PDB file of all heavy atoms in Angstrom:
ATOM      1  N   LEU A   1      57.227 -41.964  63.536  1.00 86.00           N
ATOM      2  CA  LEU A   1      56.208 -42.052  64.613  1.00 86.00           C
ATOM      3  C   LEU A   1      55.157 -43.091  64.378  1.00 86.00           C
ATOM      4  O   LEU A   1      54.918 -43.544  63.256  1.00 86.00           O
ATOM      5  CB  LEU A   1      55.483 -40.650  64.718  1.00 86.00           C
ATOM      6  CG  LEU A   1      56.392 -39.462  65.019  1.00 86.00           C
ATOM      7  CD1 LEU A   1      55.439 -38.140  64.983  1.00 86.00           C
ATOM      8  CD2 LEU A   1      57.091 -39.530  66.301  1.00 86.00           C
ATOM      9  N   SER A   2      54.499 -43.498  65.492  1.00 80.00           N
ATOM     10  CA  SER A   2      53.402 -44.438  65.361  1.00 80.00           C
ATOM     11  C   SER A   2      52.182 -43.669  64.788  1.00 80.00           C
ATOM     12  O   SER A   2      52.172 -42.438  64.705  1.00 80.00           O
ATOM     13  CB  SER A   2      53.034 -44.944  66.751  1.00 80.00           C
ATOM     14  OG  SER A   2      52.487 -43.915  67.545  1.00 80.00           O
ATOM     15  N   GLY A   3      51.218 -44.427  64.363  1.00 80.00           N
ATOM     16  CA  GLY A   3      50.030 -43.839  63.732  1.00 80.00           C
ATOM     17  C   GLY A   3      49.325 -42.888  64.652  1.00 80.00           C
ATOM     18  O   GLY A   3      48.846 -41.795  64.187  1.00 80.00           O
ATOM     19  N   GLY A   4      49.156 -43.225  65.936  1.00 82.00           N
ATOM     20  CA  GLY A   4      48.505 -42.343  66.864  1.00 82.00           C
ATOM     21  C   GLY A   4      49.240 -41.024  67.057  1.00 82.00           C
ATOM     22  O   GLY A   4      48.618 -39.948  67.106  1.00 82.00           O
ATOM     23  N   ASN A   5      50.597 -41.119  67.123  1.00 88.00           N
ATOM     24  CA  ASN A   5      51.338 -39.901  67.287  1.00 88.00           C
ATOM     25  C   ASN A   5      51.368 -39.030  65.970  1.00 88.00           C
ATOM     26  O   ASN A   5      51.396 -37.811  66.045  1.00 88.00           O
ATOM     27  CB  ASN A   5      52.761 -40.242  67.718  1.00 88.00           C
ATOM     28  CG  ASN A   5      52.851 -40.625  69.171  1.00 88.00           C
ATOM     29  OD1 ASN A   5      52.372 -39.935  70.060  1.00 88.00           O
ATOM     30  ND2 ASN A   5      53.455 -41.791  69.422  1.00 88.00           N
ATOM     31  N   GLN A   6      51.310 -39.698  64.838  1.00 90.00           N
ATOM     32  CA  GLN A   6      51.176 -38.965  63.566  1.00 90.00           C
ATOM     33  C   GLN A   6      49.864 -38.166  63.553  1.00 90.00           C
ATOM     34  O   GLN A   6      49.823 -37.022  63.177  1.00 90.00           O
ATOM     35  CB  GLN A   6      51.192 -39.892  62.380  1.00 90.00           C
ATOM     36  CG  GLN A   6      52.618 -40.499  62.113  1.00 90.00           C
ATOM     37  CD  GLN A   6      52.580 -41.475  60.991  1.00 90.00           C
ATOM     38  OE1 GLN A   6      51.566 -41.864  60.503  1.00 90.00           O
ATOM     39  NE2 GLN A   6      53.795 -41.825  60.536  1.00 90.00           N
ATOM     40  N   GLN A   7      48.804 -38.797  64.071  1.00 88.00           N
ATOM     41  CA  GLN A   7      47.494 -38.092  64.031  1.00 88.00           C
ATOM     42  C   GLN A   7      47.538 -36.886  65.000  1.00 88.00           C
ATOM     43  O   GLN A   7      47.020 -35.848  64.786  1.00 88.00           O
ATOM     44  CB  GLN A   7      46.356 -39.100  64.577  1.00 88.00           C
ATOM     45  CG  GLN A   7      44.965 -38.517  64.372  1.00 88.00           C
ATOM     46  CD  GLN A   7      44.604 -38.406  62.953  1.00 88.00           C
ATOM     47  OE1 GLN A   7      44.763 -39.274  62.164  1.00 88.00           O
ATOM     48  NE2 GLN A   7      44.070 -37.295  62.542  1.00 88.00           N
ATOM     49  N   LYS A   8      48.233 -37.054  66.120  1.00 90.00           N
ATOM     50  CA  LYS A   8      48.378 -35.951  67.078  1.00 90.00           C
ATOM     51  C   LYS A   8      49.147 -34.785  66.461  1.00 90.00           C
ATOM     52  O   LYS A   8      48.935 -33.652  66.820  1.00 90.00           O
ATOM     53  CB  LYS A   8      49.064 -36.428  68.332  1.00 90.00           C
ATOM     54  CG  LYS A   8      48.177 -37.382  69.216  1.00 90.00           C
ATOM     55  CD  LYS A   8      48.934 -37.795  70.475  1.00 90.00           C
ATOM     56  CE  LYS A   8      48.110 -38.759  71.327  1.00 90.00           C
ATOM     57  NZ  LYS A   8      48.875 -39.193  72.553  1.00 90.00           N
ATOM     58  N   VAL A   9      50.150 -35.078  65.577  1.00 92.00           N
ATOM     59  CA  VAL A   9      50.890 -34.065  64.970  1.00 92.00           C
ATOM     60  C   VAL A   9      49.909 -33.196  64.078  1.00 92.00           C
ATOM     61  O   VAL A   9      50.017 -31.951  64.062  1.00 92.00           O
ATOM     62  CB  VAL A   9      52.011 -34.595  64.091  1.00 92.00           C
ATOM     63  CG1 VAL A   9      52.611 -33.514  63.197  1.00 92.00           C
ATOM     64  CG2 VAL A   9      53.112 -35.212  65.019  1.00 92.00           C
ATOM     65  N   ILE A  10      48.990 -33.892  63.352  1.00 91.00           N
ATOM     66  CA  ILE A  10      48.075 -33.109  62.534  1.00 91.00           C
ATOM     67  C   ILE A  10      47.172 -32.238  63.358  1.00 91.00           C
ATOM     68  O   ILE A  10      46.939 -31.121  63.103  1.00 91.00           O
ATOM     69  CB  ILE A  10      47.234 -34.089  61.669  1.00 91.00           C
ATOM     70  CG1 ILE A  10      48.134 -34.931  60.826  1.00 91.00           C
ATOM     71  CG2 ILE A  10      46.184 -33.337  60.855  1.00 91.00           C
ATOM     72  CD1 ILE A  10      47.399 -35.952  59.916  1.00 91.00           C
ATOM     73  N   LEU A  11      46.718 -32.832  64.581  1.00 89.00           N
ATOM     74  CA  LEU A  11      45.854 -32.049  65.445  1.00 89.00           C
ATOM     75  C   LEU A  11      46.623 -30.798  65.988  1.00 89.00           C
ATOM     76  O   LEU A  11      46.112 -29.726  66.082  1.00 89.00           O
ATOM     77  CB  LEU A  11      45.324 -32.894  66.564  1.00 89.00           C
ATOM     78  CG  LEU A  11      44.338 -33.999  66.161  1.00 89.00           C
ATOM     79  CD1 LEU A  11      44.088 -34.905  67.362  1.00 89.00           C
ATOM     80  CD2 LEU A  11      43.033 -33.359  65.698  1.00 89.00           C
ATOM     81  N   GLY A  12      47.900 -31.067  66.302  1.00 88.00           N
ATOM     82  CA  GLY A  12      48.717 -30.000  66.842  1.00 88.00           C
ATOM     83  C   GLY A  12      48.927 -28.867  65.803  1.00 88.00           C
ATOM     84  O   GLY A  12      48.943 -27.656  66.096  1.00 88.00           O
ATOM     85  N   ARG A  13      48.977 -29.274  64.533  1.00 90.00           N
ATOM     86  CA  ARG A  13      49.140 -28.253  63.453  1.00 90.00           C
ATOM     87  C   ARG A  13      47.925 -27.304  63.397  1.00 90.00           C
ATOM     88  O   ARG A  13      48.078 -26.095  63.228  1.00 90.00           O
ATOM     89  CB  ARG A  13      49.269 -28.960  62.137  1.00 90.00           C
ATOM     90  CG  ARG A  13      49.219 -28.018  60.948  1.00 90.00           C
ATOM     91  CD  ARG A  13      48.990 -28.828  59.635  1.00 90.00           C
ATOM     92  NE  ARG A  13      50.132 -29.729  59.362  1.00 90.00           N
ATOM     93  CZ  ARG A  13      50.013 -30.771  58.560  1.00 90.00           C
ATOM     94  NH1 ARG A  13      48.898 -31.092  57.909  1.00 90.00           N
ATOM     95  NH2 ARG A  13      51.114 -31.538  58.342  1.00 90.00           N
ATOM     96  N   TRP A  14      46.733 -27.885  63.503  1.00 89.00           N
ATOM     97  CA  TRP A  14      45.534 -27.157  63.205  1.00 89.00           C
ATOM     98  C   TRP A  14      44.933 -26.467  64.451  1.00 89.00           C
ATOM     99  O   TRP A  14      43.943 -25.710  64.312  1.00 89.00           O
ATOM    100  CB  TRP A  14      44.445 -28.007  62.554  1.00 89.00           C
ATOM    101  CG  TRP A  14      44.799 -28.514  61.215  1.00 89.00           C
ATOM    102  CD1 TRP A  14      44.847 -29.818  60.756  1.00 89.00           C
ATOM    103  CD2 TRP A  14      45.112 -27.673  60.049  1.00 89.00           C
ATOM    104  NE1 TRP A  14      45.203 -29.836  59.460  1.00 89.00           N
ATOM    105  CE2 TRP A  14      45.346 -28.586  58.974  1.00 89.00           C
ATOM    106  CE3 TRP A  14      45.256 -26.340  59.840  1.00 89.00           C
ATOM    107  CZ2 TRP A  14      45.758 -28.126  57.730  1.00 89.00           C
ATOM    108  CZ3 TRP A  14      45.586 -25.877  58.577  1.00 89.00           C
ATOM    109  CH2 TRP A  14      45.826 -26.783  57.535  1.00 89.00           C
ATOM    110  N   THR A  15      45.461 -26.722  65.624  1.00 86.00           N
ATOM    111  CA  THR A  15      44.870 -26.142  66.802  1.00 86.00           C
ATOM    112  C   THR A  15      45.917 -25.357  67.639  1.00 86.00           C
ATOM    113  O   THR A  15      45.752 -25.114  68.802  1.00 86.00           O
ATOM    114  CB  THR A  15      44.296 -27.235  67.708  1.00 86.00           C
ATOM    115  OG1 THR A  15      45.286 -28.212  68.009  1.00 86.00           O
ATOM    116  CG2 THR A  15      43.122 -27.910  66.969  1.00 86.00           C
ATOM    117  N   SER A  16      46.994 -24.839  66.941  1.00 84.00           N
ATOM    118  CA  SER A  16      47.942 -24.035  67.676  1.00 84.00           C
ATOM    119  C   SER A  16      47.317 -22.677  67.926  1.00 84.00           C
ATOM    120  O   SER A  16      46.335 -22.274  67.298  1.00 84.00           O
ATOM    121  CB  SER A  16      49.222 -23.911  66.842  1.00 84.00           C
ATOM    122  OG  SER A  16      49.050 -22.995  65.784  1.00 84.00           O
ATOM    123  N   GLU A  17      48.026 -21.926  68.805  1.00 83.00           N
ATOM    124  CA  GLU A  17      47.472 -20.583  69.131  1.00 83.00           C
ATOM    125  C   GLU A  17      47.687 -19.592  68.001  1.00 83.00           C
ATOM    126  O   GLU A  17      47.068 -18.495  68.038  1.00 83.00           O
ATOM    127  CB  GLU A  17      48.207 -20.031  70.373  1.00 83.00           C
ATOM    128  CG  GLU A  17      49.745 -19.867  70.233  1.00 83.00           C
ATOM    129  CD  GLU A  17      50.573 -21.097  70.557  1.00 83.00           C
ATOM    130  OE1 GLU A  17      49.973 -22.185  70.527  1.00 83.00           O
ATOM    131  OE2 GLU A  17      51.704 -20.913  70.914  1.00 83.00           O
ATOM    132  N   LEU A  18      48.420 -19.963  66.890  1.00 84.00           N
ATOM    133  CA  LEU A  18      48.590 -19.068  65.798  1.00 84.00           C
ATOM    134  C   LEU A  18      47.591 -19.300  64.692  1.00 84.00           C
ATOM    135  O   LEU A  18      47.611 -18.584  63.681  1.00 84.00           O
ATOM    136  CB  LEU A  18      50.028 -19.273  65.212  1.00 84.00           C
ATOM    137  CG  LEU A  18      51.185 -18.982  66.141  1.00 84.00           C
ATOM    138  CD1 LEU A  18      52.518 -19.189  65.390  1.00 84.00           C
ATOM    139  CD2 LEU A  18      51.052 -17.529  66.699  1.00 84.00           C
ATOM    140  N   ILE A  19      46.647 -20.238  64.888  1.00 84.00           N
ATOM    141  CA  ILE A  19      45.601 -20.507  63.913  1.00 84.00           C
ATOM    142  C   ILE A  19      44.249 -20.325  64.581  1.00 84.00           C
ATOM    143  O   ILE A  19      43.943 -20.889  65.633  1.00 84.00           O
ATOM    144  CB  ILE A  19      45.710 -21.937  63.366  1.00 84.00           C
ATOM    145  CG1 ILE A  19      46.972 -22.062  62.489  1.00 84.00           C
ATOM    146  CG2 ILE A  19      44.452 -22.323  62.555  1.00 84.00           C
ATOM    147  CD1 ILE A  19      47.096 -23.390  61.816  1.00 84.00           C
ATOM    148  N   ASP A  20      43.387 -19.537  63.952  1.00 87.00           N
ATOM    149  CA  ASP A  20      41.974 -19.341  64.420  1.00 87.00           C
ATOM    150  C   ASP A  20      41.119 -20.329  63.749  1.00 87.00           C
ATOM    151  O   ASP A  20      40.344 -19.979  62.800  1.00 87.00           O
ATOM    152  CB  ASP A  20      41.545 -17.892  64.162  1.00 87.00           C
ATOM    153  CG  ASP A  20      40.152 -17.611  64.690  1.00 87.00           C
ATOM    154  OD1 ASP A  20      39.722 -18.365  65.600  1.00 87.00           O
ATOM    155  OD2 ASP A  20      39.543 -16.676  64.187  1.00 87.00           O
ATOM    156  N   THR A  21      41.163 -21.552  64.181  1.00 91.00           N
ATOM    157  CA  THR A  21      40.360 -22.675  63.564  1.00 91.00           C
ATOM    158  C   THR A  21      38.926 -22.535  64.128  1.00 91.00           C
ATOM    159  O   THR A  21      38.704 -22.596  65.329  1.00 91.00           O
ATOM    160  CB  THR A  21      40.902 -24.013  63.915  1.00 91.00           C
ATOM    161  OG1 THR A  21      42.219 -24.140  63.321  1.00 91.00           O
ATOM    162  CG2 THR A  21      40.026 -25.140  63.360  1.00 91.00           C
ATOM    163  N   LYS A  22      37.982 -22.317  63.219  1.00 94.00           N
ATOM    164  CA  LYS A  22      36.611 -22.239  63.537  1.00 94.00           C
ATOM    165  C   LYS A  22      35.867 -23.593  63.314  1.00 94.00           C
ATOM    166  O   LYS A  22      35.054 -24.031  64.094  1.00 94.00           O
ATOM    167  CB  LYS A  22      35.869 -21.192  62.732  1.00 94.00           C
ATOM    168  CG  LYS A  22      36.381 -19.764  62.906  1.00 94.00           C
ATOM    169  CD  LYS A  22      35.715 -18.826  61.958  1.00 94.00           C
ATOM    170  CE  LYS A  22      36.268 -17.418  62.170  1.00 94.00           C
ATOM    171  NZ  LYS A  22      35.572 -16.437  61.158  1.00 94.00           N
ATOM    172  N   LEU A  23      36.293 -24.292  62.214  1.00 95.00           N
ATOM    173  CA  LEU A  23      35.667 -25.531  61.834  1.00 95.00           C
ATOM    174  C   LEU A  23      36.772 -26.576  61.667  1.00 95.00           C
ATOM    175  O   LEU A  23      37.665 -26.395  60.865  1.00 95.00           O
ATOM    176  CB  LEU A  23      34.849 -25.393  60.587  1.00 95.00           C
ATOM    177  CG  LEU A  23      34.349 -26.685  59.936  1.00 95.00           C
ATOM    178  CD1 LEU A  23      33.320 -27.322  60.890  1.00 95.00           C
ATOM    179  CD2 LEU A  23      33.663 -26.410  58.603  1.00 95.00           C
ATOM    180  N   LEU A  24      36.736 -27.699  62.446  1.00 95.00           N
ATOM    181  CA  LEU A  24      37.682 -28.772  62.352  1.00 95.00           C
ATOM    182  C   LEU A  24      37.023 -30.045  61.793  1.00 95.00           C
ATOM    183  O   LEU A  24      36.104 -30.501  62.408  1.00 95.00           O
ATOM    184  CB  LEU A  24      38.302 -29.044  63.736  1.00 95.00           C
ATOM    185  CG  LEU A  24      39.346 -30.155  63.816  1.00 95.00           C
ATOM    186  CD1 LEU A  24      40.580 -29.794  62.976  1.00 95.00           C
ATOM    187  CD2 LEU A  24      39.744 -30.398  65.262  1.00 95.00           C
ATOM    188  N   ILE A  25      37.517 -30.506  60.625  1.00 95.00           N
ATOM    189  CA  ILE A  25      36.962 -31.702  60.006  1.00 95.00           C
ATOM    190  C   ILE A  25      37.910 -32.825  60.253  1.00 95.00           C
ATOM    191  O   ILE A  25      39.082 -32.789  59.815  1.00 95.00           O
ATOM    192  CB  ILE A  25      36.793 -31.455  58.496  1.00 95.00           C
ATOM    193  CG1 ILE A  25      35.927 -30.239  58.196  1.00 95.00           C
ATOM    194  CG2 ILE A  25      36.110 -32.665  57.826  1.00 95.00           C
ATOM    195  CD1 ILE A  25      35.836 -29.781  56.738  1.00 95.00           C
ATOM    196  N   LEU A  26      37.421 -33.880  60.899  1.00 93.00           N
ATOM    197  CA  LEU A  26      38.249 -35.026  61.195  1.00 93.00           C
ATOM    198  C   LEU A  26      37.682 -36.219  60.414  1.00 93.00           C
ATOM    199  O   LEU A  26      36.589 -36.718  60.721  1.00 93.00           O
ATOM    200  CB  LEU A  26      38.159 -35.348  62.726  1.00 93.00           C
ATOM    201  CG  LEU A  26      38.606 -34.231  63.672  1.00 93.00           C
ATOM    202  CD1 LEU A  26      38.331 -34.541  65.112  1.00 93.00           C
ATOM    203  CD2 LEU A  26      40.049 -33.890  63.479  1.00 93.00           C
ATOM    204  N   ASP A  27      38.474 -36.746  59.453  1.00 92.00           N
ATOM    205  CA  ASP A  27      38.036 -37.839  58.605  1.00 92.00           C
ATOM    206  C   ASP A  27      38.796 -39.122  59.047  1.00 92.00           C
ATOM    207  O   ASP A  27      40.025 -39.202  58.867  1.00 92.00           O
ATOM    208  CB  ASP A  27      38.308 -37.564  57.159  1.00 92.00           C
ATOM    209  CG  ASP A  27      37.618 -38.464  56.217  1.00 92.00           C
ATOM    210  OD1 ASP A  27      37.052 -39.449  56.666  1.00 92.00           O
ATOM    211  OD2 ASP A  27      37.645 -38.264  54.976  1.00 92.00           O
ATOM    212  N   GLU A  28      38.068 -40.041  59.647  1.00 89.00           N
ATOM    213  CA  GLU A  28      38.642 -41.296  60.206  1.00 89.00           C
ATOM    214  C   GLU A  28      39.839 -40.977  61.090  1.00 89.00           C
ATOM    215  O   GLU A  28      41.007 -41.544  60.889  1.00 89.00           O
ATOM    216  CB  GLU A  28      39.050 -42.246  59.027  1.00 89.00           C
ATOM    217  CG  GLU A  28      37.977 -42.607  58.114  1.00 89.00           C
ATOM    218  CD  GLU A  28      36.962 -43.631  58.670  1.00 89.00           C
ATOM    219  OE1 GLU A  28      37.119 -43.921  59.862  1.00 89.00           O
ATOM    220  OE2 GLU A  28      36.083 -44.115  57.954  1.00 89.00           O
ATOM    221  N   PRO A  29      39.681 -40.145  62.122  1.00 89.00           N
ATOM    222  CA  PRO A  29      40.851 -39.773  62.952  1.00 89.00           C
ATOM    223  C   PRO A  29      41.425 -40.899  63.829  1.00 89.00           C
ATOM    224  O   PRO A  29      42.532 -40.743  64.294  1.00 89.00           O
ATOM    225  CB  PRO A  29      40.252 -38.654  63.825  1.00 89.00           C
ATOM    226  CG  PRO A  29      38.788 -38.968  63.891  1.00 89.00           C
ATOM    227  CD  PRO A  29      38.433 -39.539  62.585  1.00 89.00           C
ATOM    228  N   THR A  30      40.691 -42.041  63.986  1.00 86.00           N
ATOM    229  CA  THR A  30      41.177 -43.073  64.845  1.00 86.00           C
ATOM    230  C   THR A  30      41.564 -44.336  64.052  1.00 86.00           C
ATOM    231  O   THR A  30      41.805 -45.385  64.654  1.00 86.00           O
ATOM    232  CB  THR A  30      40.214 -43.410  65.954  1.00 86.00           C
ATOM    233  OG1 THR A  30      39.036 -44.005  65.369  1.00 86.00           O
ATOM    234  CG2 THR A  30      39.837 -42.197  66.821  1.00 86.00           C
ATOM    235  N   LYS A  31      41.587 -44.221  62.724  1.00 81.00           N
ATOM    236  CA  LYS A  31      41.886 -45.450  61.913  1.00 81.00           C
ATOM    237  C   LYS A  31      43.330 -45.916  62.201  1.00 81.00           C
ATOM    238  O   LYS A  31      44.253 -45.132  62.144  1.00 81.00           O
ATOM    239  CB  LYS A  31      41.764 -45.053  60.427  1.00 81.00           C
ATOM    240  CG  LYS A  31      41.988 -46.289  59.523  1.00 81.00           C
ATOM    241  CD  LYS A  31      41.539 -46.033  58.088  1.00 81.00           C
ATOM    242  CE  LYS A  31      42.483 -45.134  57.387  1.00 81.00           C
ATOM    243  NZ  LYS A  31      42.167 -44.952  55.929  1.00 81.00           N
ATOM    244  N   GLY A  32      43.439 -47.169  62.511  1.00 74.00           N
ATOM    245  CA  GLY A  32      44.752 -47.784  62.827  1.00 74.00           C
ATOM    246  C   GLY A  32      45.461 -47.271  64.088  1.00 74.00           C
ATOM    247  O   GLY A  32      46.639 -47.298  64.245  1.00 74.00           O
ATOM    248  N   ILE A  33      44.566 -46.857  65.072  1.00 78.00           N
ATOM    249  CA  ILE A  33      45.075 -46.322  66.351  1.00 78.00           C
ATOM    250  C   ILE A  33      44.615 -47.215  67.515  1.00 78.00           C
ATOM    251  O   ILE A  33      43.451 -47.681  67.499  1.00 78.00           O
ATOM    252  CB  ILE A  33      44.547 -44.890  66.514  1.00 78.00           C
ATOM    253  CG1 ILE A  33      45.326 -43.958  65.499  1.00 78.00           C
ATOM    254  CG2 ILE A  33      44.827 -44.379  67.922  1.00 78.00           C
ATOM    255  CD1 ILE A  33      44.846 -42.537  65.495  1.00 78.00           C
ATOM    256  N   ASP A  34      45.435 -47.376  68.495  1.00 75.00           N
ATOM    257  CA  ASP A  34      45.154 -48.232  69.625  1.00 75.00           C
ATOM    258  C   ASP A  34      44.070 -47.643  70.514  1.00 75.00           C
ATOM    259  O   ASP A  34      43.715 -46.447  70.436  1.00 75.00           O
ATOM    260  CB  ASP A  34      46.421 -48.547  70.442  1.00 75.00           C
ATOM    261  CG  ASP A  34      46.975 -47.253  71.051  1.00 75.00           C
ATOM    262  OD1 ASP A  34      46.454 -46.891  72.113  1.00 75.00           O
ATOM    263  OD2 ASP A  34      47.857 -46.716  70.509  1.00 75.00           O
ATOM    264  N   VAL A  35      43.552 -48.494  71.427  1.00 76.00           N
ATOM    265  CA  VAL A  35      42.358 -48.110  72.237  1.00 76.00           C
ATOM    266  C   VAL A  35      42.634 -46.949  73.158  1.00 76.00           C
ATOM    267  O   VAL A  35      41.796 -46.061  73.414  1.00 76.00           O
ATOM    268  CB  VAL A  35      41.856 -49.305  72.998  1.00 76.00           C
ATOM    269  CG1 VAL A  35      41.138 -50.294  72.086  1.00 76.00           C
ATOM    270  CG2 VAL A  35      42.943 -49.969  73.843  1.00 76.00           C
ATOM    271  N   LYS A  36      43.846 -46.938  73.756  1.00 79.00           N
ATOM    272  CA  LYS A  36      44.164 -45.821  74.664  1.00 79.00           C
ATOM    273  C   LYS A  36      44.231 -44.505  73.959  1.00 79.00           C
ATOM    274  O   LYS A  36      43.670 -43.492  74.398  1.00 79.00           O
ATOM    275  CB  LYS A  36      45.535 -46.115  75.386  1.00 79.00           C
ATOM    276  CG  LYS A  36      45.875 -45.033  76.368  1.00 79.00           C
ATOM    277  CD  LYS A  36      47.217 -45.288  77.005  1.00 79.00           C
ATOM    278  CE  LYS A  36      47.661 -44.131  77.889  1.00 79.00           C
ATOM    279  NZ  LYS A  36      49.045 -44.325  78.444  1.00 79.00           N
TER     280      LYS A  36
END
């Protein structure tokens, strides 16, 4: 996958309906990702 799609996979992991995420820490979430 491209870098942007890899980042979306991580987001999908932590924000699924099976996880009760209260605090989400994003460290350089847009590094190496295109403007769109």
Side-chain angles (χ1 to χ4, degrees):
L1 300 177
S2 67
N5 286 307
Q6 288 178 348
Q7 191 68 47
K8 290 178 180 180
V9 169
I10 300 177
L11 291 173
R13 170 196 297 162
W14 294 123
T15 57
S16 78
E17 63 270 26
L18 298 184
I19 292 186
D20 182 22
T21 298
K22 299 177 181 178
L23 173 63
L24 180 61
I25 306 171
L26 304 172
D27 193 354
E28 301 286 6
T30 65
K31 184 168 73 173
I33 290 176
D34 63 82
V35 288
K36 181 184 176 185

